[in-house]
Amino acid sequence: MPGYRIVAINQHTEAVATNQKPDWFPVNSRPRLPVSGARRKVNMLGAVSDDGERFIALTPNQFNAEVAKHFLRAVRQEFGENLTIVLDNASYFIAKALKKQAAADGLLLEYLPSHSPEMNPLENCWRQLREGRANQLFQTANGVKEYLLAALPTLRSLQIYEYLC
């Protein structure tokens, strides 16, 4: 739509755990990887615009429609008005309350086809985060947050049109 910026949004969770990844080790060695059975995690919501700008927020709560509504307002404040928001079909993104607020704020919501994460450019960001912490154990949620705050600015820029066009 003319005059509208496209912004894709997505959610992601990083757990206090070890992301195991195959690696090369000397012959006859038995490397051990520390693991944790902890269930603590850090949730985040991210947005990327059609010109590659990013906005990522760590969220202290579980994903729900209320958190998504606050994030949409933050995205609107970050990227301005006249936005077309591209999102997946998570229950909190298709909630009536979120759709009602988006309409009141003048945001157009466009949904990706079901079960198609490969079409969302933010999935590339989340992949970069997982690769960056491969085979590392973070003992606490604060350790995960520290990693994320250091890693987020280093993510490679995205071209949204490569995913959506």
Side-chain angles (χ1 to χ4, degrees), residues 105-124:
D105 290 346
L107 301 173
L108 299 175
L109 300 181
E110 293 291 334
Y111 293 91
L112 294 169
S114 295
H115 309 291
S116 57
E118 70 280 357
M119 294 180 74
N120 195 318
L122 281 158
E123 291 293 339
N124 183 40

Side-chain angles (χ1 to χ4, degrees), residues 7-11 46 68 71-72 84-90 92-94 98-99 102 108-114 116 120 164:
V7 176
I9 68 174
N10 199 1
Q11 69 287 343
F71 186 69
L72 278 186
T84 298
I85 307 291
V86 178
L87 23 80
D88 63 22
N89 290 286
Y92 36 86
F93 288 150
I94 60 173
L98 181 110
K99 290 180 179 183
L108 299 175
L109 300 181
E110 293 291 334
Y111 293 91
L112 294 169
S114 295
S116 57
N120 195 318
L164 300 176

Side-chain angles (χ1 to χ4, degrees), residues 59-164:
T59 61
N61 303 323
Q62 292 283 43
F63 299 122
N64 59 35
E66 199 60 34
V67 170
K69 282 171 42 177
H70 288 294
F71 186 69
L72 278 186
R73 287 236 163 103
V75 166
R76 184 172 179 242
Q77 186 174 6
E78 181 74 18
F79 294 114
E81 298 182 10
N82 297 333
L83 299 177
T84 298
I85 307 291
V86 178
L87 23 80
D88 63 22
N89 290 286
S91 60
Y92 36 86
F93 288 150
I94 60 173
K96 289 180 184 178
L98 181 110
K99 290 180 179 183
K100 185 176 178 181
Q101 177 201 309
D105 290 346
L107 301 173
L108 299 175
L109 300 181
E110 293 291 334
Y111 293 91
L112 294 169
S114 295
H115 309 291
S116 57
E118 70 280 357
M119 294 180 74
N120 195 318
L122 281 158
E123 291 293 339
N124 183 40
C125 284
W126 310 146
R127 182 186 51 74
Q128 290 175 55
L129 289 176
R130 284 188 300 272
E131 286 177 359
R133 64 172 288 201
N135 298 334
Q136 296 179 46
L137 173 63
F138 294 96
Q139 297 284 353
T140 65
N142 283 337
V144 174
K145 284 181 189 176
E146 289 174 16
Y147 163 74
L148 293 172
L149 293 174
L152 288 172
T154 67
L155 298 178
R156 289 183 299 278
S157 294
L158 308 165
Q159 295 298 320
I160 197 168
Y161 290 114
E162 292 176 14
Y163 290 85
L164 300 176

